[in-house]
Amino acid sequence: MSSARITALEAEVAGLRKALASRTVIGQATGLIAARKPCTPQQAFGLLVHISQHHNIKLHVAADRLVAAFVHAHLGRTVKPIDQMLWDHIDATTANDAGESDDGFAEEVSSTSP
């Protein structure tokens, strides 16, 4: 096997590991949101996406910050104000505000003006 092929495979494995870690923390954050608010997992994911877009941060970063803030609060440690702001935003947002319908699926939004 060539050196270039090995390097490419190592890069692919590193990317897959990063994706798996991101997916895990996104799932954790989605579960925490669904437990904290009366909503479905789909609606909770929609809220997470909304938070990510509203605060202009990557989805996995928003999820990581929410999970870290939850753990810190649960352990009685100080929560960073910027991370608490994400939870405050979630508490103030309903699933419908985040573009989610009652069945948990995103509503279609027309990009044309009436």
Side-chain angles (χ1 to χ4, degrees), residues 4 15 18 23 37 44 60 96 112:
K18 184 177 178 183
R23 176 174 278 189
K37 298 188 72 68
H60 71 93
N96 289 334
T112 60

Side-chain angles (χ1 to χ4, degrees), residues 29-90:
T30 299
L32 290 171
I33 293 167
R36 187 164 176 153
K37 298 188 72 68
C39 65
T40 66
Q42 293 84 6
Q43 290 171 320
F45 180 77
L47 286 170
L48 181 58
V49 169
H50 171 78
I51 294 299
S52 169
Q53 292 172 344
H54 182 81
H55 292 278
N56 196 27
I57 53 178
K58 292 185 182 255
L59 186 65
H60 71 93
V61 172
D64 189 53
R65 287 175 48 191
L66 287 168
V67 170
F70 177 85
V71 169
H72 278 67
H74 184 70
L75 296 175
R77 297 181 185 158
T78 303
V79 176
K80 294 178 184 175
I82 194 163
D83 294 344
Q84 182 60 49
M85 180 179 62
L86 295 178
W87 275 113
D88 293 343
H89 190 145
I90 286 172

